[in-house]
Amino acid sequence: MGPHPAVAAIRLAVRRVLHDVLNEFAERTDHNEHIAHGERASRPEFAEAGTGRRGAALPDRPALPDRPDTPLVLVACSGGADSMALASALAFEARKLAVRAGGITVDHNLQDGSDVRAAEVVARLRDMHLDPVEAVAVHVGSEGGPEAAARDARYAALDAAAERHGAAAVLLGHTRDDQAETVLLGLARGSGIRSLSGMAAASGPAGRYRRPFLQLDRQTARKACLVQSLPVWDDPHNIDPAYTRSRLRHEGLPALEKALGKGVVGALARTAQLSRDDADALDTWAAEADSAVRDDAGQLECAKLYALPPAVRRRVLRRAAVEAGAPAGSLFARHIEEVDRLITGWRGQQAINLPGRVEARRQGGRLVIRQS
């Protein structure tokens, strides 16, 4: 008899991601070895050997520097149902594939006893035979609000852990429900199509972060934990109405489902994917247009910017602001709209102040975006 359907579903989702990681790892390894071999062949001591005739036998090739034969995949585990289900699936599937599996839990220090909870998660991950496993304590600031600050601190810790251990990928337990919430939060902020595209299946440096569960609902992950007798920790912040996502989860989405019927979560997740496809196409267009709207000195020309479709022009402006030093996470649609008015509604207005001490100013038919 096979595993419970919920367990089978989470394992299949993780297996697909691990196959992707293995394929990418093999491609990178082959590429690096090809470069290393090319460098050796170009060196005089390897180019001609023995009689000095071209094409003569080469000496034994020195061994390549030591490297892991298999990629390391880490799971980011809070101890909640989603991430515990993810950890269990990773532990099961890694044993059948050429993958090393480890785990990281982040202690945000936002609740009494958070260090004890982190130690418990570490023990559970080790019981699954994951290695390496560690807890990382972080300090959560206040910039952008409590939720954004905690997220920034968490990803900084995960980035550092991935670099420290040389991980090929970090798995995150975001589900289809999380995706639906992200889309609604973007909609409420009046954000553009990129925000409505939600979370990508792969994101971060070189696609480091992978989200296997974006097509699975939260209940499937919880059921998988239940039938495997996996203990889970329910974060009290997830039911605290002081947090916007918590209110949306427990009040907003249920109200939408009551008004519109079941299927709202799935429809929002599909909207995210469609929006992502459109946003990717527009980003590509904007990247190609960027060089065409600059003068010989690299300055943005207002007349050429004006001729672009608004969706493309605003992407060019956003790219320029980020390149000038504006933090991408703090740069919102309202900021770009103000900069856009320097192009489409020019009336001699003053410079626009952007996050990161960046300012945008129109001067002599050029748009100058730089740190002040």
Side-chain angles (χ1 to χ4, degrees), residues 193-194 196-198 269-284 315:
I193 195 170
R194 174 57 70 188
L196 297 183
S197 66
R270 288 193 298 275
T271 296
Q273 184 57 58
L274 293 171
S275 297
R276 181 165 297 279
D277 292 342
D278 290 348
D280 287 346
L282 287 168
D283 284 348
T284 299
R315 279 168 168 75

Side-chain angles (χ1 to χ4, degrees), residues 61 75 164 192:
R61 178 167 54 87
V75 58
R164 186 164 58 251

Side-chain angles (χ1 to χ4, degrees), residues 11 48 69 71-72 115 119 208 239 253 257 261 270 282 333 348:
R11 289 177 178 175
E48 296 178 5
D69 292 325
L72 171 64
D115 56 336
R208 168 179 291 160
I239 57 173
L253 268 174
E257 289 191 332
R270 288 193 298 275
L282 287 168

Side-chain angles (χ1 to χ4, degrees), residues 350-362:
Q350 297 298 311
I352 305 299
N353 293 319
L354 302 173
R357 296 187 299 106
V358 172
E359 68 171 23
R361 180 188 302 273
R362 180 163 173 158

Side-chain angles (χ1 to χ4, degrees), residues 32-34 36-41 43 46 57-65 67:
N32 291 339
E33 289 186 348
H34 177 74
H37 296 169
E39 289 175 348
R40 290 190 182 90
R43 288 163 57 187
F46 293 112
L58 295 176
D60 291 339
R61 178 167 54 87
L64 290 171
R67 62 168 175 75

